[in-house]
Amino acid sequence: MDKFENAAIVKKANVYFDGNVTSRTVLFEDGTKKTLGIILPGTYEFGTADKEVMEVLTGSAKVLLKGSDSWSQYEAGQSFEIPANSSFKISVEKIMDYCCSYIKE
Amino acid sequence: MDKFENAAIVKKANVYFDGNVTSRTVLFEDGTKKTLGIILPGTYEFGTADKEVMEVLTGSAKVLLKGSDSWSQYEAGQSFEIPANSSFKISVEKIMDYCCSYIKE
């Protein structure tokens, strides 16, 4: 059972798109932050502030990065990066479980 | 920002009812366990093994305990208990964010 140790977990959820996307914030001793989230079927657009690394834990997603004209597909176990101060569209057919790491640059 | 410190969080989500109910498991140094979860609108039935204390973080819920014939309503900030080895129905009109504590007896 893969888990994050010695972390702080924010009690309240982050809720987007009427609950179709939700996540929990995990804070680490070194000051870094991750969110663990669920995306229900649909297509959503998100903006980034920090660079993000999205790891697909369960399910799969098609992703369109800002400035790109082609969607890329990612399966469970794969990750993709989104640059800082950018945006991306994500399309999910079945429920997707993810871990997002926020990278200060 | 209320949070749990010095805890471990299991990476993968717990998913029920096609993702209409999802949660993350938080493990504490004293061996106790909580889940932080989201319930989307609908009515669901759950069984218990340990005794559970459900705290409504956001939203509200109507709850029918096994053996009861009346639903009780709980609002954000309120909690309700479900006995060990029992079951309950929970009905949610708007998204509900909860914290569930599992109590060994």
Side-chain angles (χ1 to χ4, degrees), chain A residues 78-95:
Chain A
Q78 296 187 306
S79 295
F80 57 94
E81 287 187 13
I82 310 107
N85 303 307
S86 185
S87 66
F88 65 108
K89 289 181 184 170
I90 185 163
S91 182
V92 167
E93 283 187 14
K94 290 184 193 172
I95 185 170

Side-chain angles (χ1 to χ4, degrees), chain B residues 48-63:
Chain B
T48 62
D50 294 331
K51 179 173 135 181
E52 297 182 10
V53 178
M54 284 279 283
E55 178 189 359
V56 183
L57 300 176
T58 305
S60 64
K62 286 183 179 154
V63 175

Side-chain angles (χ1 to χ4, degrees), chain A residues 1-15 18-20 22 24 26-27 29 36-38 40-41 55 57-58 95 97-99, chain B residues 1-15 18-20 22 24 26-27 29 36-38 40-41 55 57-58 95 97-99:
Chain A
M1 193 169 58
D2 202 9
K3 52 185 188 277
F4 295 122
E5 310 268 5
N6 302 314
I9 297 105
V10 177
K11 233 174 139 180
K12 282 205 181 180
N14 311 304
V15 177
D18 289 328
N20 282 303
T22 57
R24 303 279 170 182
V26 184
L27 303 167
E29 288 179 336
L36 291 168
I38 292 285
L40 295 180
E55 177 189 1
L57 300 177
T58 304
I95 185 170
D97 187 10
Y98 72 83
C99 177
Chain B
M1 192 170 59
D2 201 9
K3 52 185 187 279
F4 296 121
E5 309 271 4
N6 302 316
I9 183 163
V10 177
K11 236 174 137 180
K12 283 205 180 181
N14 312 304
V15 177
D18 289 327
N20 282 302
T22 58
R24 303 277 171 182
V26 182
L27 303 167
E29 288 178 335
L36 291 168
I38 293 284
L40 296 179
E55 178 189 359
L57 300 176
T58 305
I95 184 170
D97 186 11
Y98 72 83
C99 177

Side-chain angles (χ1 to χ4, degrees), chain B residues 6 9-10 13 17 20 24 27 30 32 36-38 42 54-55 60 62 64-65 69 74-75 78 90-91 93 100:
Chain B
N6 302 316
I9 183 163
V10 177
F17 301 107
N20 282 302
R24 303 277 171 182
L27 303 167
D30 64 1
T32 60
L36 291 168
I38 293 284
M54 284 279 283
E55 178 189 359
S60 64
K62 286 183 179 154
L64 182 69
L65 295 180
D69 57 4
Y74 299 94
E75 307 290 338
Q78 296 186 307
I90 185 163
S91 183
E93 284 187 12
C100 182

Side-chain angles (χ1 to χ4, degrees), chain A residues 7-85:
Chain A
I9 297 105
V10 177
K11 233 174 139 180
K12 282 205 181 180
N14 311 304
V15 177
Y16 310 97
F17 301 106
D18 289 328
N20 282 303
V21 181
T22 57
S23 72
R24 303 279 170 182
T25 302
V26 184
L27 303 167
F28 295 89
E29 288 179 336
D30 63 2
T32 60
K33 181 178 91 164
K34 296 182 193 293
T35 52
L36 291 168
I38 292 285
I39 302 181
L40 295 180
T43 300
Y44 313 95
E45 183 164 2
F46 287 96
T48 62
D50 294 330
K51 179 173 133 181
E52 297 182 10
V53 178
M54 285 279 282
E55 177 189 1
V56 182
L57 300 177
T58 304
S60 64
K62 287 183 177 153
V63 175
L64 182 69
L65 295 180
K66 185 180 177 183
S68 171
D69 58 4
S70 68
W71 292 76
S72 298
Q73 172 126 359
Y74 299 94
E75 306 290 338
Q78 296 187 306
S79 295
F80 57 94
E81 287 187 13
I82 310 107
N85 303 307

